Amino acid sequence: MLKSKTFVKKTRSGGVMKIVREHYLRDDIWCGSEVCAECKQESAVLQRDACIESNLCTYPHYLIPDTNVVLHQIDVLEDPVIRNVIILQTVLQEVRHRSAPVYKRLKDIIHEKEKHFYTFTNEHHRDTFIEREPGESANDRNDRAIRVATKWYSQHLKTSESDAEGLKVVLLTNDQGNTQKAEESSLLVYKCMWSMFSIRGSTDPFKKLCVSTNEITSSKVLFPEHLPLSRIQAGIKSGSFLQGSFRASRDNYLEATVFVQGEGEDSTEVLIQGLQNLNRAVHQDVVAVQLLPRNQWVAPSAVVLQDEGTAKDDDAEEEEEEKALRISAAEAASKPTGKIVGIIKRSWRPYCGMLNASQIKESTRHLFTPADRRIPRIRIETRQSSTLAGQRIMVAIDGWPKHSRYPNGHFVRSLGSAGEKDTEQEVLLLEHDVPHQDFSQAVLSFLPKMPWAITPEDMVKREDLRHLTVCSVDPPGCTDIDDALHCRELDNGNLEVGVHIADVSHFIRPGNAMDKEAANRGTTVYLCGKRIDMVPELLSSNLCSLRSNVERMAFSCIWEMNDKAEILKTRFTKSVINSKASLTYAEAQMRIDDTTMNDDITQSLRGLNKLAKILKRQRIEKGALTLSSLEVRFHIDSETHDPIDLQTKELMETNSMVEEFMLLANISVAQKIYDEFPDCAMLRKHPAPPPSNYDILLKAAKSKNVEIHTDSAKALADSLDGAKVDGFPYFNTLLRILATRCMMQAVYFCSGMDSDFHHYGLASPIYTHFTSPIRRYADIIVHRLLAVAIAADSTYPDLMDKHKQSALANNLNYRHKMSQYAQRASVAFHTQLFFKSRGILNEAGYVLFVRKNAIIVLIPKFGLEGTVFFDTKDKAAPNLVFDEEIPGVSVPAPDVEPQAKKPKLDR
């Protein structure tokens, strides 16, 4: 017999899907009793002699418990005295969905032959299946299904043989309404408590009946209710609540901060500690926070805590962790502390990670561990756990009920086997929201037709600079060459210096599909052995790349300088150049150092290098910072694409040479476009860090009796220059690494929307990005503004709209930040691949930070940084246990997202 239900459902794309659910009913399902003469069953489970010594039921009987009896009195059913119990399919399914631990215990009982528990599939029996009536709740329908099955059993077993033996069927329920309706249907029904106390020989019935219901997670409220939006808005307006962005801690899952945006320097951070105060907020949610009384304010904890992902039903371990958190927080200076009272906007997205399969056999409920430690584990239901084991998968959050320790979600798709390069690369791109799909045909349709050449029309507003000795200096293997330089002596004895930048804006016109795609991507992302281009490769590696011995369009910034690097004249022009050489940093350095070489290219490089040293000295005298961050370079096998060698990058004079002129060009262009367009110039600023940011630096310096002044960038730079310790040559580098961590993020902004233009790290009053339009969309906007300023191109409405420019700047800031994190994650993964088959290595390491239960260690040779935990199980001799351990290596893996490994200079 077939029952079917048909309904229509609207899909995400707006279409309509017809859903047909089929439910098959049968009449040959056995009842499982030995006394039944109708069912042709080979081996019955329920005994003929179903007698339990009971004062209440003196006759043979079978028990049918309802769902709540099983959930709340599972200990009763486990009693050896309790036998011959019928577990209905309705009850089994409800228990499985409501409590995995109870479900496992029930299945174990059913598998014990001596208990004689029988599972009856009432939902597929023609005589016991019922449909939900209009207006009937799911719970009421299930209660009715249990009563119908009980009545069917009572009638089915009324054979002459069973009647002679007086066999009855007893419904066990603690629900008053269910009891009343069962009695109205002439069913034999008892409460579980009466039944248990009436059984002779039961062990400690009172203890079993008073069993805790902590195992039933759905009935325990763990978090406070979120306030409705109307109350939140009223509270923000009155000042009793604050609105901010929720930022979960990477090192402590019981701690977070809420960044409350203010005007100017009035922005504040509110500390949140403890599960209940975190109240189901997820990283990057917009939340409402209520400040706690000042006497309840605490300090950030020095304990490193990571959620191990086990479902803690008794919360004992979690309470210990929260206690350790409070003790640690109480030992330091307090800061504004609050609690989350409501969610204003969720920022959920699909998350990548791995499935922690439940240890309960047949359970469909499992925990998913996201790759990002700031995201809580997610509980999902799937029957594919064995298939998904060892896979990287994607999961989306559906909701987070107040009675659940973890949010609920669903499986989206599998990404591949964990550890495989393609899979891990896909994970890091998805996790960092890097657009990496192939360029669409709509985008590619705007590429120039090949073969391409510069036409006379192109030269109308361009200066012909093909005669100049221009060359480029880049890292080895660079194909997207977007800058080149020249230096020559003028007849008046002064020097002409030119920075020539690829004219990408000539090929990407405002508003077309290619322009929109580049604006969305924001930046090129450089991974180990792979590049995710912002623009199609025909432009990035060919037509816009300033390769040697080919004619290319450029945007040139040309200065006339004296030998003291003082700028006498500045001009900007669109141009055509023909680079005479594409050099690496090492090749350029070799030319400069080789006294036997005196050709035009070498002479140009020497002139540039001499001026660059003067420019750098002048910048540092003004207070520009010279910070430090470890960068590593991999040598990749050409066939397997595995890393075969790893070394830290060495900086040469030529690195600094190129950097100085790129900085100078950016500053010159920034001033020009701001003078012309004071309301809509795309600029870049670097805010001064708040004093509290320097705490880690000052503490580290104090440990060696070194004094650091942070009153200004100049004071900090001078202090770092003098920070030296005898016998510890690396100390100064460590301080500069820590100083880098103290810095704020440099950001793009529209000049008409902000009044603070200062770049703290460069000690420059104004700054922008002009020199890398192949890989940064901000530079394309700056090129367009500069072209309009010198009458080389026409404007368009969006370029002069400060609000749209500001929105664009926000997206570029986000994309730039995510690309940095993706690049670091790629380095971390390839570092693990490099160490995978190299055994145990002993290398010098330095302790960067000390926590209550861990230390943060830096290994300079490999650019590795990681958390080393103290295993406190053995109090007498703590062992070191590495977080994110690399197989077979005695050094910790680098963090996927260090706090602030910023580049040395903001080119």
Side-chain angles (χ1 to χ4, degrees):
M1 183 178 176
L2 173 66
K3 305 283 287 185
S4 65
K5 184 177 182 180
T6 304
F7 58 95
V8 293
K9 175 184 177 183
K10 188 175 181 181
T11 64
R12 291 184 179 178
S13 60
V16 176
M17 180 185 295
K18 183 179 180 181
I19 307 292
V20 179
R21 288 183 177 170
E22 297 180 339
H23 193 91
Y24 291 88
L25 302 179
R26 301 171 57 177
D27 56 7
D28 59 348
I29 298 175
W30 302 337
C31 67
S33 175
E34 289 181 349
V35 302
C36 179
E38 294 184 23
C39 297
K40 297 178 181 179
Q41 44 200 356
E42 297 176 0
S43 57
V45 175
L46 301 170
Q47 294 174 297
R48 180 186 301 274
D49 180 20
C51 290
I52 300 176
E53 295 186 14
S54 170
N55 296 327
L56 191 62
C57 299
T58 58
Y59 39 79
H61 60 276
Y62 297 152
L63 298 174
I64 299 182
D66 72 358
T67 305
N68 285 326
V69 168
V70 175
L71 286 171
H72 297 281
Q73 271 84 46
I74 186 67
D75 283 12
V76 171
L77 299 178
E78 287 177 332
D79 194 296
V81 176
I82 303 297
R83 298 186 302 275
N84 295 296
V85 177
I86 301 166
I87 302 297
L88 300 178
Q89 181 187 0
T90 304
V91 173
L92 195 63
Q93 288 176 340
E94 273 200 285
V95 171
R96 186 184 66 185
H97 284 97
R98 292 182 60 186
S99 176
V102 175
Y103 176 74
K104 180 181 184 300
R105 292 170 67 180
L106 181 60
K107 292 289 288 184
D108 290 343
I109 298 171
I110 292 171
H111 291 142
E112 292 181 30
K113 292 184 178 180
E114 62 274 12
K115 291 282 288 177
H116 298 281
F117 273 54
Y118 178 66
T119 304
F120 178 64
T121 52
N122 63 303
E123 296 289 353
H124 289 278
H125 196 290
R126 185 176 63 182
D127 297 329
T128 57
F129 171 76
I130 63 168
E131 293 196 64
R132 187 172 169 183
E133 296 177 350
E136 185 178 37
S137 69
N139 188 58
D140 289 343
R141 181 264 171 203
N142 290 341
D143 285 345
R144 185 161 60 89
I146 294 169
R147 295 194 300 271
V148 168
T150 304
K151 189 169 186 177
W152 178 84
Y153 256 104
S154 299
Q155 294 174 347
H156 179 73
L157 295 176
K158 283 186 178 179
T159 62
S160 58
E161 188 175 359
S162 63
D163 276 344
E165 297 181 11
L167 183 64
K168 305 288 184 183
V169 178
V170 178
L171 173 62
L172 287 183
T173 180
N174 293 323
D175 185 88
Q176 187 64 39
N178 200 19
T179 300
Q180 185 176 348
K181 291 177 181 179
E183 290 173 345
E184 291 172 358
S185 301
S186 302
L187 298 179
L188 188 58
V189 56
Y190 291 118
K191 286 190 174 182
C192 184
M193 182 173 63
W194 300 344
S195 175
M196 194 62 199
F197 275 106
S198 68
I199 297 173
R200 294 191 290 271
S202 173
T203 58
D204 201 356
F206 184 78
K207 182 178 179 181
K208 287 181 168 59
L209 287 168
C210 294
V211 66
S212 171
T213 60
N214 280 346
E215 291 173 328
I216 307 157
T217 57
S218 61
S219 64
K220 183 178 180 180
V221 176
L222 298 176
F223 299 100
E225 192 81 57
H226 285 149
L227 296 180
L229 194 57
S230 58
R231 283 193 59 188
I232 291 174
Q233 291 172 338
I236 292 173
K237 189 175 181 180
S238 66
S240 55
F241 300 151
L242 299 174
Q243 175 179 327
S245 176
F246 183 84
R247 299 175 179 178
S249 169
R250 175 172 288 278
D251 297 321
N252 191 330
Y253 78 101
L254 294 175
E255 189 169 273
T257 57
V258 175
F259 179 76
V260 181
Q261 183 70 51
E263 294 186 5
E265 299 181 358
D266 292 338
S267 300
T268 59
E269 283 191 348
V270 179
L271 181 66
I272 314 292
Q273 282 190 351
L275 269 183
Q276 287 208 333
N277 288 340
L278 294 171
N279 199 7
R280 296 168 286 158
V282 177
H283 182 62
Q284 292 186 334
D285 283 350
V286 179
V287 300
V289 62
Q290 182 179 28
L291 287 177
L292 298 175
R294 188 174 288 270
N295 61 359
Q296 296 181 30
W297 287 10
V298 295
S301 171
V303 175
V304 179
L305 291 179
Q306 294 178 13
D307 190 353
E308 299 301 326
T310 53
K312 306 181 180 79
D313 290 322
D314 57 3
D315 290 335
E317 184 178 340
E318 205 151 78
E319 288 175 3
E320 287 297 317
E321 290 179 345
E322 292 218 30
K323 182 179 178 182
L325 182 73
R326 289 193 297 271
I327 292 172
S328 172
E331 294 175 355
S334 63
K335 62 182 295 185
T337 309
K339 62 180 180 180
I340 305 298
V341 296
I343 307 296
I344 297 172
K345 181 184 176 183
R346 287 292 192 187
S347 298
W348 294 342
R349 59 175 175 81
Y351 301 102
C352 302
M354 296 188 70
L355 190 70
N356 290 358
S358 172
Q359 296 181 355
I360 301 171
K361 190 178 180 181
E362 298 183 15
S363 175
T364 60
R365 303 182 74 198
H366 310 278
L367 279 179
F368 164 81
T369 303
D372 189 342
R373 291 204 303 265
R374 296 169 299 183
I375 306 301
R377 285 172 169 83
I378 303 167
R379 197 184 301 281
I380 68 169
E381 288 204 22
T382 178
R383 299 180 186 275
Q384 306 177 57
S385 58
S386 57
T387 306
L388 299 178
Q391 298 275 311
R392 290 285 192 182
I393 65 173
M394 185 178 282
V395 164
I397 296 178
D398 298 324
W400 197 340
K402 62 183 178 182
H403 53 66
S404 175
R405 169 65 181 82
Y406 299 105
N408 298 324
H410 65 272
F411 167 74
V412 176
R413 65 185 175 101
S414 175
L415 301 171
S417 299
E420 291 186 356
K421 279 187 294 185
D422 290 343
T423 301
E424 298 301 331
Q425 189 163 269
E426 178 76 4
V427 167
L428 72 88
L429 290 173
L430 289 170
E431 274 297 291
H432 297 98
D433 196 17
V434 175
H436 58 286
Q437 68 279 6
D438 293 337
F439 289 102
S440 68
Q441 284 303 315
V443 171
L444 299 177
S445 67
F446 286 96
L447 289 172
K449 301 294 185 257
M450 299 299 288
W452 173 87
I454 298 174
T455 65
E457 290 79 10
D458 294 330
M459 296 298 298
V460 172
K461 293 186 178 181
R462 291 184 182 274
E463 190 172 337
D464 190 346
L465 302 179
R466 286 174 287 190
H467 62 285
L468 294 179
T469 305
V470 174
C471 66
S472 62
V473 183
D474 292 281
C478 180
T479 60
D480 54 343
I481 303 171
D482 46 19
D483 57 83
L485 304 118
H486 88 272
C487 178
R488 64 172 180 167
E489 188 172 350
L490 299 174
D491 294 338
N492 60 8
N494 292 329
L495 297 171
E496 180 187 85
V497 177
V499 168
H500 310 277
I501 307 300
D503 189 5
V504 182
S505 62
H506 172 82
F507 298 95
I508 301 180
R509 303 309 296 165
N512 67 23
M514 194 188 306
D515 182 51
K516 291 177 180 177
E517 180 66 21
N520 176 52
R521 295 191 177 209
T523 181
T524 294
V525 180
Y526 295 89
L527 307 179
C528 297
K530 184 179 178 68
R531 189 180 76 206
I532 312 295
D533 281 325
M534 181 185 77
V535 298
E537 189 176 12
L538 179 63
L539 296 183
S540 65
S541 297
N542 188 350
L543 301 185
C544 292
S545 182
L546 305 183
R547 300 184 297 180
S548 58
N549 302 314
V550 291
E551 295 180 354
R552 289 291 179 258
M553 293 182 179
F555 212 145
S556 301
C557 174
I558 301 173
W559 304 277
E560 183 178 336
M561 295 182 174
N562 59 24
D563 56 3
K564 297 179 181 178
E566 294 171 341
I567 298 174
L568 306 176
K569 293 180 184 177
T570 303
R571 66 188 181 95
F572 308 96
T573 180
K574 288 213 169 191
S575 61
V576 175
I577 65 169
N578 189 326
S579 174
K580 302 303 184 287
S582 298
L583 306 173
T584 65
Y585 290 117
E587 289 170 344
Q589 189 68 52
M590 182 185 68
R591 280 176 172 268
I592 292 171
D593 296 340
D594 189 346
T595 56
T596 63
M597 297 187 71
N598 290 292
D599 56 275
D600 290 345
I601 295 174
T602 305
Q603 292 289 357
S604 177
L605 289 170
R606 286 175 182 153
L608 290 167
N609 194 42
K610 181 180 178 181
L611 291 171
K613 290 179 180 179
I614 300 171
L615 290 171
K616 184 173 183 179
R617 185 174 67 249
Q618 291 173 350
R619 278 196 314 106
I620 292 174
E621 287 173 355
K622 291 178 182 177
L625 296 175
T626 304
L627 302 179
S628 181
S629 63
L630 290 177
E631 295 183 59
V632 295
R633 181 182 298 281
F634 293 96
H635 296 284
I636 306 293
D637 188 282
S638 58
E639 294 183 2
T640 65
H641 301 289
D642 288 335
I644 55 176
D645 192 18
L646 178 153
Q647 62 188 50
T648 53
K649 293 182 182 179
E650 294 184 9
L651 298 179
M652 305 178 184
E653 282 186 359
T654 47
N655 290 82
S656 178
M657 176 191 77
V658 173
E659 204 135 40
E660 288 304 320
F661 285 106
M662 297 305 111
L663 294 172
L664 186 61
N666 287 335
I667 293 170
S668 298
V669 171
Q671 191 63 57
K672 177 66 175 179
I673 62 173
Y674 177 66
D675 289 343
E676 295 289 336
F677 308 107
D679 287 335
C680 57
M682 177 70 75
L683 302 178
R684 187 165 174 83
K685 68 175 182 177
H686 183 210
S692 59
N693 277 30
Y694 289 117
D695 290 347
I696 56 171
L697 175 65
L698 298 176
K699 188 175 181 180
K702 189 177 179 180
S703 69
K704 296 295 182 182
N705 297 318
V706 171
E707 191 172 0
I708 298 290
H709 299 284
T710 60
D711 304 334
S712 65
K714 172 70 173 165
L716 175 61
D718 291 343
S719 297
L720 290 173
D721 288 341
K724 297 177 182 178
V725 174
D726 294 338
F728 191 177
Y730 199 71
F731 178 72
N732 188 266
T733 303
L734 283 175
L735 283 187
R736 293 183 188 274
I737 291 173
L738 289 179
T740 305
R741 308 289 173 87
C742 300
M743 295 296 112
M744 303 289 284
Q745 188 82 29
V747 293
Y748 298 109
F749 69 101
C750 177
S751 58
M753 304 292 284
D754 204 327
S755 58
D756 179 17
F757 295 3
H758 188 71
H759 197 294
Y760 180 81
L762 298 175
S764 175
I766 194 167
Y767 192 68
T768 193
H769 273 166
F770 163 76
T771 55
S772 298
I774 293 177
R775 62 184 178 91
R776 289 189 306 232
Y777 188 77
D779 301 54
I780 293 178
I781 295 296
V782 171
H783 277 226
R784 290 173 180 170
L785 288 166
L786 184 59
V788 175
I790 64 172
D793 205 344
S794 56
T795 186
Y796 58 97
D798 284 2
L799 191 65
M800 298 295 131
D801 188 326
K802 66 179 181 180
H803 297 286
K804 290 187 177 179
Q805 288 285 70
S806 183
L808 175 61
N810 290 337
N811 178 63
L812 297 179
N813 290 330
Y814 171 73
R815 293 297 189 198
H816 182 68
K817 180 175 67 175
M818 288 295 105
S819 71
Q820 286 184 321
Y821 293 160
Q823 288 161 206
R824 294 168 196 164
S826 180
V827 170
F829 175 65
H830 278 76
T831 302
Q832 294 186 33
L833 289 180
F834 174 75
F835 282 121
K836 200 169 185 179
S837 59
R838 281 171 170 74
I840 297 176
L841 303 177
N842 295 315
E843 294 294 341
Y846 298 92
V847 176
L848 283 180
F849 309 106
V850 179
R851 301 287 185 254
K852 286 288 182 181
N853 61 335
I855 54 176
I856 315 299
V857 175
L858 173 72
I859 300 173
K861 181 175 180 179
F862 302 119
L864 289 177
E865 181 184 329
T867 305
V868 182
F869 285 96
F870 296 103
D871 184 359
T872 55
K873 293 178 182 178
D874 183 358
K875 301 292 184 182
N879 299 313
L880 296 184
V881 181
F882 288 95
D883 178 36
E884 298 182 23
E885 186 177 3
I886 306 169
V889 182
S890 62
V891 292
D895 201 356
V896 172
E897 184 187 325
Q899 288 183 352
K901 280 191 178 178
K902 300 190 181 77
K904 185 175 71 169
L905 289 175
D906 189 10
R907 285 180 55 190

